[in-house]
């Protein structure tokens, strides 16, 4: 099983706010931890400012190669669950 939890990752696409119904576009930021670069998306309602959700977009190693992202972690999770 993958060492990454699929619930920690999000797809950086527009969503509708559950508070106002407005379109929400994620803001992204990145940070480094233990030699890896983590890219994160934060979804906030544009009218009220409430944070809707946040999660990782990708994890990259020190050379810039993608170690994990939403699609790869989700596909490994589905494969593992279907074999159980």
């Amino acid at each position: 099983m993958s060492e990454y939890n699929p619930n920690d990752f999000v797809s950086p696409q527009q969503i509708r706010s559950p508070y106002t119904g407005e379109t929400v576009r994620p803001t992204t930021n990145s940070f480094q931890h233990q030699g890896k670069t983590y890219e994160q998306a934060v979804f906030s309602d544009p009218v009220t400012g409430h944070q809707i959700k946040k999660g990782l977009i990708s994890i990259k190693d020190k050379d810039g190669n993608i170690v994990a992202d939403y699609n790869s972690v989700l596909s490994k999770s589905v494969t593992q669950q279907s074999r159980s």
Side-chain angles (χ1 to χ4, degrees):
M1 190 144 180
S2 175
E3 64 183 276
Y4 300 106
N5 185 344
N7 295 327
D8 293 340
F9 289 82
V10 295
S11 181
Q13 298 178 352
Q14 321 185 111
I15 61 171
R16 289 276 180 203
S17 169
Y19 301 109
T20 61
E22 294 290 324
T23 300
V24 177
R25 292 180 179 87
T27 56
T28 60
N29 59 36
S30 61
F31 59 92
Q32 293 190 353
H33 179 68
Q34 296 180 348
K36 294 181 182 175
T37 302
Y38 295 80
E39 188 173 6
Q40 178 179 6
V42 178
F43 296 83
S44 299
D45 185 284
V47 177
T48 64
H50 287 106
Q51 182 176 329
I52 299 167
K53 68 178 177 178
K54 93 176 161 180
L56 295 172
I57 299 172
S58 67
I59 301 172
K60 298 178 183 176
D61 63 11
K62 64 180 179 178
D63 297 326
N65 300 319
I66 295 177
V67 174
D69 66 353
Y70 177 76
N71 293 325
S72 67
V73 171
L74 185 64
S75 67
K76 287 180 185 175
S77 171
V78 170
T79 304
Q80 292 296 327
Q81 290 175 357
S82 64
R83 291 183 183 167
S84 296

